[in-house]
Amino acid sequence: MTNLLLKNDRLLRALRREPVDCTPVWLMRQAGRYLPEYRATRQRAGSFLAMAKNPELACEVTLQPLARFDLDAAILFSDILTIPDAMGLELYFVDGEGPKFRHPVRNAAEIAKLAVPDMETELRYVMDAVRTIRRELDGSVPLIGFSGSPWTLACYMVEGGGSDNFSKIKALALNDPKALHQLLSVNTDAVIAYLAAQRAAGAQVLQVFDTWGGVLSPAMYREFSLPYLTRIAKELDRGDTPLILFGKGNAPYLEELAASGTEALGVDWTVELSEASRRTQGKIALQGNIDPATLYGSPDAIRTQVRRTLDSYAEGNGGSREGHVFNLGHGLSPDMDPEHVRALVDAVHEYSKR
Ligand code: CP3
């Protein structure tokens, strides 16, 4: 429905596996520190959080990459850690150290106190940002809303920030799996409510980031991440709004993820798209999956890799480019060259033109 009003509906068409004039492309972390205009807005705002919590500034940085590059979607400028912040864990950032929580949760008693935050009060700034961005986009491209996965959110909530070895949450999984399931269950309820609220506010595509699913053993992935992703795909009431489940290291589980009821899967660069496409048998759309480090290569090298990635998808999809959304296998980094990003975006459209 919403796409009838869009000037560029390539992303929505690709997610429905419908024909498109060329393959749509957007990039994870397309708004960020690699752009000088982002650094300028951030300086003005004072901090990342001040920017993310101010709907006008969040809108401004969301639109920055679209003013520069021929991208086929905008992604809400926010963070996955807004949910635990609203649950009372208190998010803050230490320069050079990434996100941290003032009140991590470590045991069953602390987990039992958690509740789903109210979306239009405690997370109103996110919904206001969605409404503001939709208004400013004025139908040019669709807006992607997002959330962290229950497992990935739990990693930050238990570790209290980023982690190299996930020692605290893995210890919890081993010593008190019931408490961890309780945490994952409340996170799942919150993620479903959060995505539904973003959709109601105007998000036209929804993506779940399972950034840390790949650090689990297969047995633990199937116990602590997959069932909750599946619950989101099954229970999120989304009408014709497509859902993308992105997971770093999700390649071993593509068949199981494709059976969840999601419209699309986002994959990293450790799997060939030809293989991912064959294994999912055209049941869903696929998003990805160039290695972000490709952007450290020259524009010519980038163009070669873009062509390879497009052709790999088509090879596994009976020669057709339908059902492919081009993206990186993970996010852009602050030291990447915006001109290399431009080379990538333009090459996707050029080589995939029908
Ligand atoms: O893709 C986009 O352009 C939308 C914005 C977006 C951000 N975070 C902005 C951001 C999205 C989709 C996220 C999601 C997110 N946040 C994830 C999942 C995606 C992924 O990368 O796997 C995770 C794990 C987080 C948690 C988080 N927030 C991290 C690890 C960091 C980086 C810390 C650092 O200093 O490098 C953040 C902060 C953050 N979120 C930044 C941006 C642009 C950098 C903040 C800054 O300007 O200093």
Side-chain angles (χ1 to χ4, degrees):
M1 296 267 258
T2 37
N3 62 312
L4 291 177
L5 308 166
L6 279 166
K7 294 172 193 111
N8 173 349
D9 67 350
R10 273 178 203 137
L11 175 68
L12 291 170
R13 297 181 63 88
L15 289 170
R16 290 197 210 102
R17 301 188 55 88
E18 291 169 6
V20 280
D21 60 334
C22 58
T23 300
V25 54
W26 68 278
L27 304 171
M28 290 188 269
R29 292 267 177 94
Q30 64 189 27
R33 285 166 291 183
Y34 76 105
L35 291 176
E37 57 271 36
Y38 172 91
R39 297 195 297 269
T41 308
R42 188 177 184 274
Q43 178 110 38
R44 235 185 330 123
S47 70
F48 165 74
L49 271 184
M51 206 162 50
K53 291 193 172 182
N54 178 319
E56 301 302 324
L57 294 177
C59 176
E60 183 178 313
V61 292
T62 298
L63 301 180
Q64 285 171 349
L66 294 148
R68 262 190 193 251
F69 312 121
D70 194 14
L71 293 159
D72 296 297
I75 176 159
L76 165 68
F77 187 82
S78 186
D79 202 82
I80 62 166
L81 302 177
T82 51
I83 290 179
D85 183 50
M87 286 173 166
L89 278 68
E90 270 186 63
L91 176 63
Y92 68 102
F93 283 85
V94 182
D95 256 339
E97 286 178 51
K100 296 208 182 299
F101 285 116
R102 198 102 40 206
H103 311 291
V105 290
R106 296 271 155 80
N107 54 50
E110 284 163 357
I111 290 167
K113 291 191 206 135
L114 298 172
V116 175
D118 184 81
M119 299 299 151
E120 281 295 348
T121 56
E122 286 146 307
L123 287 162
R124 168 155 209 145
Y125 68 92
V126 177
M127 307 314 149
D128 283 343
V130 171
R131 287 185 276 264
T132 306
I133 297 162
R134 264 303 293 276
R135 189 184 70 222
E136 294 301 315
L137 280 172
D138 194 26
S140 52
V141 292
L143 175 61
I144 303 168
F146 70 90
S147 169
S149 73
W151 164 256
T152 293
L153 293 177
C155 287
Y156 287 97
M157 294 166 80
V158 174
E159 297 292 335
S163 176
D164 293 331
N165 57 9
F166 299 89
S167 56
K168 296 183 182 72
I169 193 160
K170 287 187 176 179
L172 184 66
L174 293 161
N175 299 336
D176 195 351
K178 208 167 144 241
L180 180 54
H181 279 296
Q182 175 56 34
L183 173 57
L184 293 166
S185 167
V186 67
N187 282 356
T188 303
D189 293 340
V191 167
I192 290 172
Y194 191 53
L195 292 173
Q198 289 183 43
R199 175 173 179 261
Q204 292 147 301
V205 172
L206 300 167
Q207 173 158 317
V208 173
F209 288 85
D210 190 25
T211 305
W212 300 122
V215 306
L216 289 164
S217 67
M220 283 206 175
Y221 180 86
R222 292 191 173 97
E223 177 171 357
F224 297 112
S225 189
L226 180 64
Y228 297 98
L229 293 170
T230 302
R231 226 188 96 198
I232 294 165
K234 293 213 186 311
E235 292 179 18
L236 175 63
D237 187 3
R238 58 187 178 279
D240 62 1
T241 305
L243 175 70
I244 306 167
L245 298 180
F246 165 76
K248 252 198 107 214
N250 66 5
Y253 317 107
L254 297 180
E255 292 84 351
E256 289 150 275
L257 286 163
S260 68
T262 190
E263 283 70 38
L265 291 179
V267 296
D268 71 19
W269 61 96
T270 61
V271 62
E272 275 292 346
L273 279 186
S274 56
E275 181 199 325
S277 180
R278 271 193 287 272
R279 283 172 49 200
T280 52
Q281 301 177 313
K283 281 190 260 186
I284 49 149
L286 287 173
Q287 177 175 280
N289 74 338
I290 212 163
D291 180 350
T294 305
L295 288 159
Y296 297 124
S298 67
D300 272 339
I302 292 167
R303 285 188 274 271
T304 303
Q305 295 302 318
V306 164
R307 175 170 256 164
R308 233 203 123 264
T309 304
L310 285 165
D311 288 348
S312 179
Y313 178 85
E315 185 201 320
N317 193 46
S320 163
R321 301 198 196 280
E322 279 166 31
H324 183 204
V325 174
F326 202 101
N327 206 315
L328 308 174
H330 199 194
L332 284 160
S333 296
D335 63 350
M336 287 170 172
D337 182 343
E339 285 314 306
H340 289 203
V341 173
R342 182 190 314 284
L344 181 142
V345 171
D346 289 346
V348 172
H349 288 149
E350 201 176 303
Y351 290 140
S352 64
K353 214 168 263 157
R354 311 294 190 262

mmCIF file of all heavy atoms in Angstrom, residues 95-110:
data_model
loop_
_atom_site.group_PDB
_atom_site.id
_atom_site.type_symbol
_atom_site.label_atom_id
_atom_site.label_comp_id
_atom_site.label_asym_id
_atom_site.label_seq_id
_atom_site.Cartn_x
_atom_site.Cartn_y
_atom_site.Cartn_z
ATOM 1 N N ASP A 95 34.152 7.348 24.911
ATOM 2 C CA ASP A 95 34.848 7.497 23.628
ATOM 3 C C ASP A 95 35.889 6.401 23.432
ATOM 4 O O ASP A 95 36.704 6.137 24.313
ATOM 5 C CB ASP A 95 35.508 8.884 23.534
ATOM 6 C CG ASP A 95 34.699 9.796 22.625
ATOM 7 O OD1 ASP A 95 33.928 9.256 21.806
ATOM 8 O OD2 ASP A 95 34.827 11.034 22.740
ATOM 9 N N GLY A 96 35.820 5.747 22.294
ATOM 10 C CA GLY A 96 36.783 4.702 21.970
ATOM 11 C C GLY A 96 36.454 3.353 22.596
ATOM 12 O O GLY A 96 37.129 2.370 22.326
ATOM 13 N N GLU A 97 35.438 3.292 23.439
ATOM 14 C CA GLU A 97 35.113 2.017 24.096
ATOM 15 C C GLU A 97 33.746 1.469 23.721
ATOM 16 O O GLU A 97 33.383 0.373 24.129
ATOM 17 C CB GLU A 97 35.184 2.165 25.622
ATOM 18 C CG GLU A 97 36.603 2.238 26.150
ATOM 19 C CD GLU A 97 36.624 2.433 27.653
ATOM 20 O OE1 GLU A 97 35.945 1.675 28.363
ATOM 21 O OE2 GLU A 97 37.301 3.374 28.108
ATOM 22 N N GLY A 98 32.968 2.266 22.993
ATOM 23 C CA GLY A 98 31.662 1.776 22.566
ATOM 24 C C GLY A 98 30.607 1.889 23.647
ATOM 25 O O GLY A 98 30.810 2.540 24.670
ATOM 26 N N PRO A 99 29.456 1.231 23.424
ATOM 27 C CA PRO A 99 28.313 1.384 24.336
ATOM 28 C C PRO A 99 28.517 0.674 25.666
ATOM 29 O O PRO A 99 29.169 -0.367 25.722
ATOM 30 C CB PRO A 99 27.162 0.728 23.554
ATOM 31 C CG PRO A 99 27.811 -0.192 22.577
ATOM 32 C CD PRO A 99 29.178 0.344 22.290
ATOM 33 N N LYS A 100 27.944 1.244 26.713
ATOM 34 C CA LYS A 100 27.986 0.619 28.051
ATOM 35 C C LYS A 100 26.645 0.829 28.755
ATOM 36 O O LYS A 100 25.913 1.753 28.430
ATOM 37 C CB LYS A 100 29.064 1.283 28.915
ATOM 38 C CG LYS A 100 30.467 1.100 28.386
ATOM 39 C CD LYS A 100 31.465 1.139 29.542
ATOM 40 C CE LYS A 100 32.896 1.020 29.059
ATOM 41 N NZ LYS A 100 33.171 -0.222 28.347
ATOM 42 N N PHE A 101 26.345 -0.055 29.732
ATOM 43 C CA PHE A 101 25.159 0.129 30.564
ATOM 44 C C PHE A 101 25.566 0.380 32.011
ATOM 45 O O PHE A 101 26.416 -0.312 32.552
ATOM 46 C CB PHE A 101 24.237 -1.099 30.494
ATOM 47 C CG PHE A 101 23.469 -1.178 29.212
ATOM 48 C CD1 PHE A 101 23.677 -2.226 28.320
ATOM 49 C CD2 PHE A 101 22.568 -0.182 28.869
ATOM 50 C CE1 PHE A 101 22.988 -2.280 27.121
ATOM 51 C CE2 PHE A 101 21.874 -0.231 27.670
ATOM 52 C CZ PHE A 101 22.088 -1.282 26.796
ATOM 53 N N ARG A 102 24.917 1.376 32.622
ATOM 54 C CA ARG A 102 25.153 1.704 34.026
ATOM 55 C C ARG A 102 24.643 0.550 34.918
ATOM 56 O O ARG A 102 25.237 0.252 35.929
ATOM 57 C CB ARG A 102 24.390 3.005 34.337
ATOM 58 C CG ARG A 102 24.814 3.735 35.547
ATOM 59 C CD ARG A 102 25.707 4.984 35.380
ATOM 60 N NE ARG A 102 25.410 5.878 34.292
ATOM 61 C CZ ARG A 102 26.350 6.666 33.722
ATOM 62 N NH1 ARG A 102 27.602 6.628 34.133
ATOM 63 N NH2 ARG A 102 26.020 7.478 32.741
ATOM 64 N N HIS A 103 23.517 -0.088 34.522
ATOM 65 C CA HIS A 103 22.925 -1.155 35.348
ATOM 66 C C HIS A 103 22.729 -2.435 34.532
ATOM 67 O O HIS A 103 21.613 -2.749 34.129
ATOM 68 C CB HIS A 103 21.562 -0.715 35.899
ATOM 69 C CG HIS A 103 21.579 0.635 36.529
ATOM 70 N ND1 HIS A 103 22.234 0.897 37.712
ATOM 71 C CD2 HIS A 103 21.046 1.814 36.136
ATOM 72 C CE1 HIS A 103 22.104 2.180 38.018
ATOM 73 N NE2 HIS A 103 21.381 2.751 37.077
ATOM 74 N N PRO A 104 23.801 -3.185 34.298
ATOM 75 C CA PRO A 104 23.627 -4.451 33.566
ATOM 76 C C PRO A 104 22.779 -5.430 34.388
ATOM 77 O O PRO A 104 22.612 -5.230 35.593
ATOM 78 C CB PRO A 104 25.051 -4.984 33.406
ATOM 79 C CG PRO A 104 25.945 -4.140 34.228
ATOM 80 C CD PRO A 104 25.187 -2.946 34.724
ATOM 81 N N VAL A 105 22.223 -6.458 33.727
ATOM 82 C CA VAL A 105 21.468 -7.483 34.466
ATOM 83 C C VAL A 105 22.284 -8.771 34.480
ATOM 84 O O VAL A 105 22.783 -9.199 33.451
ATOM 85 C CB VAL A 105 20.065 -7.729 33.859
ATOM 86 C CG1 VAL A 105 19.161 -6.537 34.102
ATOM 87 C CG2 VAL A 105 20.126 -8.055 32.379
ATOM 88 N N ARG A 106 22.445 -9.365 35.650
ATOM 89 C CA ARG A 106 23.380 -10.490 35.775
ATOM 90 C C ARG A 106 22.740 -11.749 36.347
ATOM 91 O O ARG A 106 23.332 -12.812 36.314
ATOM 92 C CB ARG A 106 24.561 -10.090 36.689
ATOM 93 C CG ARG A 106 25.415 -8.959 36.146
ATOM 94 C CD ARG A 106 26.534 -9.489 35.265
ATOM 95 N NE ARG A 106 27.012 -8.505 34.290
ATOM 96 C CZ ARG A 106 27.864 -7.511 34.552
ATOM 97 N NH1 ARG A 106 28.367 -7.366 35.750
ATOM 98 N NH2 ARG A 106 28.213 -6.671 33.594
ATOM 99 N N ASN A 107 21.546 -11.658 36.922
ATOM 100 C CA ASN A 107 20.976 -12.839 37.581
ATOM 101 C C ASN A 107 19.454 -12.838 37.460
ATOM 102 O O ASN A 107 18.853 -11.863 36.996
ATOM 103 C CB ASN A 107 21.387 -12.868 39.057
ATOM 104 C CG ASN A 107 21.026 -11.569 39.759
ATOM 105 O OD1 ASN A 107 19.877 -11.101 39.651
ATOM 106 N ND2 ASN A 107 21.971 -10.974 40.460
ATOM 107 N N ALA A 108 18.840 -13.939 37.893
ATOM 108 C CA ALA A 108 17.391 -14.129 37.741
ATOM 109 C C ALA A 108 16.599 -13.011 38.418
ATOM 110 O O ALA A 108 15.588 -12.554 37.884
ATOM 111 C CB ALA A 108 16.986 -15.496 38.309
ATOM 112 N N ALA A 109 17.061 -12.535 39.577
ATOM 113 C CA ALA A 109 16.320 -11.493 40.303
ATOM 114 C C ALA A 109 16.296 -10.192 39.514
ATOM 115 O O ALA A 109 15.257 -9.520 39.420
ATOM 116 C CB ALA A 109 16.952 -11.276 41.681
ATOM 117 N N GLU A 110 17.446 -9.836 38.909
ATOM 118 C CA GLU A 110 17.492 -8.602 38.116
ATOM 119 C C GLU A 110 16.675 -8.736 36.830
ATOM 120 O O GLU A 110 16.018 -7.794 36.400
ATOM 121 C CB GLU A 110 18.951 -8.238 37.798
ATOM 122 C CG GLU A 110 19.664 -7.650 39.009
ATOM 123 C CD GLU A 110 21.194 -7.646 38.908
ATOM 124 O OE1 GLU A 110 21.753 -8.158 37.922
ATOM 125 O OE2 GLU A 110 21.823 -7.139 39.849
#
